[in-house]
Amino acid sequence: MRKLIFLITFFSLIGISTYSQEIEKQAPQGFDTFRKDVVHGKIDSVYYNSETIGKKRKAMIYLPPGYSKDKEYPVLYLLHGIGGDEKEWINGGHPEIILDNLYAENKIEPMIVVMPNGRAMKDDRAIGNIFDKEKVDAFANFEKDLLNDLIPFIENSFPVFRDRENRAIAGLSMGGGQSLNFGLGNLDKFAWVGGFSSAPNTKKPEELFPNPEESKKKLKLLWISCGDNDGLIPFSTRTHEFARDNDIPHIFYLEPGVHDFKVWKNGLYMFSQLLFKPVDVSKFNEYSLVGIPASSNVRRAKYPQILPDNRVIFQVKAPAAKKVQIDLGKKYDMVKDTSGVWEITTDTISEGFHYYSLLIDGVAVADPASETFYGMGRMASGIEIPQKNDFYYELKDIPHGDIRIKKYYSNLLNKWRQVYIYTPPGYDQNVNEKYPALYILHGGGEDERGWAIQGKTDLILDNLIADKKAVPMLIVMPDGNIDAPMFGDQVLKLFETELTKSAIPFIENNYRVKTDSKNRALAGLSMGGLQTLYAGINNTDLFSYLGVFSSGWIQPMQKDLATSQYDLMKINSDKINDNLKLFWISMVVVKKILLTIIAN
């Protein structure tokens, strides 16, 4: 045996707490209502000379209650949307009321809020075609005006701190995109950055975070929020996903709502309370009111929803039911509202694909909001919890192979069998080329669809081949189920014969594959791992590569079977070592450590 790789992957979550903060998840009723019984700040207008534009420009400014020229203040720069100007926040959101009320409850630090016109051009009025290219470009040009003209003016005219840790930027829609672009692009100027319903002007994440380590080090707070029915939510989501994958602490806050001031006012209420004070990074994922619909949902289904901390919100309407549960390994009792809708939010669920069922008055059924998958020995629902750095099975703009579904007749079992086959990009064009073949086996309760549908085999191989990390190959996904009352030696032997005498000959007679052992591999998960251990070790003249995923002989139930296999390996160790190029064994346990043992 040339190489043995034993891979153990451990998972745990480690949070770094800097400050224990109370979590208020939504603005209360009346947060934006004018109160006579509180001290009020002051709204005023200021004019500054913009060398960037070549004219004097106007901005609105909010001075907090009790403002004094003898005290220094941090500054929040608050930006408007594409159809607004320096008065949009004042007219549509009344930030002075929100902030006055927060001051009265001692929930925010005293700060000055500057609301400029983010359309940096000589005629900066929001008139005519606001989507005209010149006007859209003016929003990008505002970065120069902000950094070179407005900020120096504010710092020379008002008693403010001049360091980055006392400077924040946030905005709505187009202003949200500006805030992310300018704030994340100038971390030497801003430590607090917020985007509310950020618009398509938001740069791609790779541009926003050219140096993720610097972002992690310098950002005090990155706030990304949006209404769950806002058509612009993909721009916030992609920024969140990149930050998540690169361990950049941030709050991804979703709430019921659309693209309007109801959402933006709540965003300001939430964001402003976190500014210019210690924050508890470990609680960032606990803020969001709603989650992102799971990728495994049927079209237009809003639930299940996955929250940023990987808790899941399930909903189902069953007004006549007496008891409804979600069975996700652990059973969760759902709660019914007055309209007959049952809901539950689970504990944090581990990353990856999970089967689940609804239990309605004790009967296990598939969730009508979810795609169904054959697993657990029946059709069940499934949910994909996003995995950090899941680029290896992301759909990308690269050449793609095909999944083919074929039936063949098994003379051994006297029945038709079905097999899924992945053919790599170019298979139909490169008609003179033959390919190596990997035979990969599913787990118990699954069938030949498992690796193709749940396992995303085609996407994984497409990406690996495009990155030149894997050679083009066929992947054959047969049905590993053999109808028998007990899973033991006889069933394993029968499957071995079916694989070697039926499935492999069918593939080699109908597809362009290389037929020597050096170009043939066998692997499997769980039950398929046991089948690989059995059929693979017994046939190292057929397979030079074996992969066992999350599997092994079950003790003490399979003690005799395991003993006979170990004896076989001892007796034939020279032959096995000579024939095998790679023997891969991997397991998943509890903490996030990667242990690789390589023995030559």
Side-chain angles (χ1 to χ4, degrees), residues 7-15 350-351 587-596:
L7 181 72
I8 304 180
T9 306
F10 298 82
F11 290 95
S12 72
L13 297 175
I14 301 174
S350 60
E351 296 174 343
M587 298 292 290
V588 177
V589 263
V590 188
K591 290 187 181 174
K592 197 170 188 180
I593 302 171
L594 189 62
L595 172 63
T596 306

Side-chain angles (χ1 to χ4, degrees), residues 449-515:
R449 292 169 283 186
W451 273 106
I453 308 302
Q454 293 94 295
K456 304 181 189 293
T457 293
D458 54 336
L459 298 182
I460 294 171
L461 264 292
D462 288 344
N463 292 332
L464 287 172
I465 292 170
D467 289 341
K468 302 190 184 305
K469 292 180 178 178
V471 299
M473 68 182 80
L474 267 71
I475 297 187
V476 182
M477 296 159 271
D479 184 358
N481 295 300
I482 302 293
D483 294 331
M486 293 289 291
F487 183 83
D489 183 62
Q490 289 185 338
V491 172
L492 286 166
K493 184 64 180 177
L494 192 59
F495 173 76
E496 175 193 355
T497 306
E498 163 64 18
L499 175 68
T500 58
K501 303 301 182 184
S502 297
I504 291 176
F506 170 77
I507 295 298
E508 294 184 350
N509 288 330
N510 290 277
Y511 291 87
R512 300 191 314 277
V513 293
K514 297 176 181 179
T515 57

Side-chain angles (χ1 to χ4, degrees), residues 376-515:
M376 307 192 300
R378 57 181 173 80
M379 296 307 293
S381 302
I383 186 167
E384 183 90 31
I385 304 298
Q387 186 168 333
K388 285 174 58 178
N389 300 311
D390 61 357
F391 312 118
Y392 66 93
Y393 64 84
E394 181 182 0
L395 183 61
K396 301 176 184 177
D397 186 14
I398 56 174
H400 293 284
D402 295 319
I403 292 285
R404 308 179 188 216
I405 307 171
K406 293 293 180 181
K407 289 182 170 60
Y408 68 94
Y409 191 79
S410 168
N411 289 315
L412 175 68
L413 302 176
N414 295 314
K415 62 192 296 187
W416 286 95
R417 303 271 284 174
Q418 184 168 267
V419 61
Y420 277 57
I421 305 153
Y422 167 79
T423 54
Y427 178 83
D428 290 328
Q429 291 73 38
N430 304 326
V431 294
N432 295 319
E433 185 174 350
K434 291 188 175 182
Y435 298 86
L438 164 61
Y439 294 79
I440 194 162
L441 311 175
H442 58 79
E446 299 172 335
D447 63 12
E448 67 277 9
R449 292 169 283 186
W451 273 106
I453 308 302
Q454 293 94 295
K456 304 181 189 293
T457 293
D458 54 336
L459 298 182
I460 294 171
L461 264 292
D462 288 344
N463 292 332
L464 287 172
I465 292 170
D467 289 341
K468 302 190 184 305
K469 292 180 178 178
V471 299
M473 68 182 80
L474 267 71
I475 297 187
V476 182
M477 296 159 271
D479 184 358
N481 295 300
I482 302 293
D483 294 331
M486 293 289 291
F487 183 83
D489 183 62
Q490 289 185 338
V491 172
L492 286 166
K493 184 64 180 177
L494 192 59
F495 173 76
E496 175 193 355
T497 306
E498 163 64 18
L499 175 68
T500 58
K501 303 301 182 184
S502 297
I504 291 176
F506 170 77
I507 295 298
E508 294 184 350
N509 288 330
N510 290 277
Y511 291 87
R512 300 191 314 277
V513 293
K514 297 176 181 179
T515 57

Side-chain angles (χ1 to χ4, degrees), residues 44-48 57-61 114 150 153-154 158:
D44 205 347
S45 56
V46 294
Y47 291 85
Y48 65 99
R57 305 197 72 215
K58 181 181 179 182
M60 304 303 294
I61 192 166
V114 179
L150 178 57
F153 167 78
I154 294 296
F158 294 89

